[in-house]
Amino acid sequence: MAVLSYIERDSVSRLFNNGGYVLDFSTDDFNRFTIDSVGFPLCEKYGLSKGKSLMAFIDEAKWFEIAKLVDDLLNYYVVRFGDRGPDNDK
């Protein structure tokens, strides 16, 4: 049973996943980030792109694990991009 509703899942995907890319992370950086956040490297575990690994995690993780990762990604977004967004890095 999915923890997030379709709308919630779609919102997370639209905010963080851009055609398989997650924000400005390389695969190695994303793995390090997710180890720090949830205790294991998502791309290594799922063997998928960053975006697909993120969504696979969201499909099977417990609500508190999802909340932790989403919170950490939001904090990263705010610190890294502020109000510019990842596509406007100037």
Side-chain angles (χ1 to χ4, degrees):
M1 177 181 214
V3 174
L4 299 182
S5 70
Y6 175 83
I7 293 170
E8 292 164 334
R9 187 181 187 285
D10 185 61
S11 296
V12 169
S13 181
R14 287 176 185 263
L15 182 59
F16 299 121
N17 181 5
N18 183 12
Y21 295 94
V22 174
L23 301 175
D24 64 342
F25 289 111
S26 68
T27 300
D28 288 339
D29 288 340
F30 187 63
N31 277 331
R32 283 192 290 275
F33 182 87
T34 58
I35 288 170
D36 187 56
S37 178
V38 295
F40 61 91
L42 266 63
C43 293
E44 190 174 307
K45 177 179 179 175
Y46 295 107
L48 301 168
S49 70
K50 295 176 291 287
K52 288 180 180 179
S53 294
L54 173 63
M55 300 319 293
F57 174 78
I58 286 174
D59 285 341
E60 73 175 35
K62 296 178 173 96
W63 70 267
F64 59 87
E65 295 170 321
I66 296 168
K68 171 76 168 108
L69 182 56
V70 168
D71 185 59
D72 290 344
L73 286 167
L74 284 169
N75 286 331
Y76 176 85
Y77 184 96
V78 169
V79 169
R80 174 69 176 90
F81 303 110
D83 60 359
R84 296 173 308 189
D87 295 331
N88 300 314
D89 200 19
K90 295 180 181 177

